[in-house]
Amino acid sequence: MKSINYVINGVLAVAILVLFIVQFTGKDSVLPVVTKTASGEVVSGFPVAYFNVDSLLLNYNFSKDLNEQLVRKQENARANITQQARNLQSEVDNFQHKLRNGAFATQERAEQEQQRLMKKQQELQVLDEKLTQDLMDESRRLNEQLSDTIRLHLNVYNEDKNYQIIFSNAAGNPIYLADEVYDITNELIEYLNKRWSGTPGE
């Protein structure tokens, strides 16, 4: 089950695969403009913004719900494998006890029981691998769902913001230097959570 743990550990790191640059149409000017920031401050600068992926994923309620959903599935899978492993270990212990005490009528009967237990162990390993793969597939599906949702809402969010480009500091695409005045993380989290809770976005 160690491989299953990697799925959860990697969820937040890969939750947004494609949000490095979001180019919006219908905006012809790339000259410096006057922009009102999330804090209400008016600045003159380029029509760009960025958001912190980690903060977004940790505070966006939809992201938290998806993560909890995946954690529950992982816990159920782990409990299933653990219970079956315990049952198998109990059978193995019983087999070894009988073997030591000569409880099997014939050597052939002992070998048959040993083969049965070995087959059961192989089946358990196959099940472990299947559950691990299922969790990885589910993680990818949820990541795509989250990414698509954020991308769609960003388009709506940007209708009255008029940013030409919105960056993210996703893994592999870091923003090494940026003025905090262009950071829309908190505003974007608030907007997304309003949309997720059913409250119309402002």
Side-chain angles (χ1 to χ4, degrees):
M1 290 298 292
K2 290 182 180 178
S3 55
I4 294 180
N5 291 330
Y6 296 135
V7 177
I8 299 300
N9 294 335
V11 169
L12 293 180
V14 299
I16 299 179
L17 302 174
V18 187
L19 283 176
F20 173 57
I21 298 178
V22 180
Q23 179 81 43
F24 297 96
T25 60
K27 302 170 182 69
D28 299 324
S29 174
V30 293
L31 298 175
V33 296
V34 174
T35 304
K36 187 174 183 180
T37 66
S39 63
E41 181 180 0
V42 176
V43 297
S44 177
F46 289 98
V48 298
Y50 73 92
F51 62 92
N52 184 292
V53 174
D54 291 337
S55 294
L56 181 68
L57 296 178
L58 288 173
N59 293 284
Y60 181 20
N61 292 334
F62 182 49
S63 174
K64 291 190 285 187
D65 289 348
L66 292 182
N67 188 54
E68 289 173 5
Q69 179 180 333
L70 193 60
V71 168
R72 282 194 300 272
K73 290 187 176 183
Q74 186 219 17
E75 290 173 346
N76 290 337
R78 182 189 296 131
N80 184 9
I81 291 294
T82 299
Q83 184 59 49
Q84 292 195 46
R86 286 175 179 167
N87 293 342
L88 177 59
Q89 185 60 50
S90 178
E91 291 187 56
V92 169
D93 292 343
N94 186 46
F95 167 75
Q96 292 174 341
H97 177 74
K98 288 182 177 181
L99 196 60
R100 284 193 301 269
N101 292 286
F104 291 103
T106 64
Q107 179 66 23
E108 181 182 3
R109 178 67 188 91
E111 290 175 356
Q112 288 175 349
E113 180 63 9
Q114 184 181 34
Q115 290 297 321
R116 185 187 73 82
L117 292 174
M118 290 176 63
K119 181 180 179 182
K120 198 167 183 178
Q121 182 181 30
Q122 291 172 350
E123 291 172 348
L124 185 59
Q125 290 174 344
V126 170
L127 178 61
D128 185 9
E129 292 172 1
K130 180 183 182 303
L131 291 175
T132 299
Q133 185 60 51
D134 288 347
L135 281 172
M136 292 177 66
D137 293 342
E138 180 69 0
S139 175
R140 271 193 298 270
R141 187 186 70 79
L142 295 179
N143 289 339
E144 290 173 1
Q145 183 180 356
L146 177 62
S147 181
D148 290 345
T149 299
I150 292 175
R151 188 180 295 108
L152 288 171
H153 285 313
L154 270 175
N155 278 280
V156 178
Y157 166 84
N158 194 52
E159 286 178 356
D160 62 348
K161 302 297 180 181
N162 298 318
Y163 293 117
Q164 290 289 315
I165 299 176
I166 297 180
F167 297 93
S168 77
N169 65 341
N173 299 302
I175 297 175
Y176 291 103
L177 180 64
D179 193 317
E180 291 184 1
V181 74
Y182 296 111
D183 185 353
I184 61 170
T185 305
N186 292 333
E187 182 180 2
L188 184 57
I189 290 170
E190 181 181 357
Y191 173 82
L192 289 171
N193 283 335
K194 282 182 179 180
R195 300 284 295 193
W196 174 237
S197 65
T199 305
E202 296 178 355

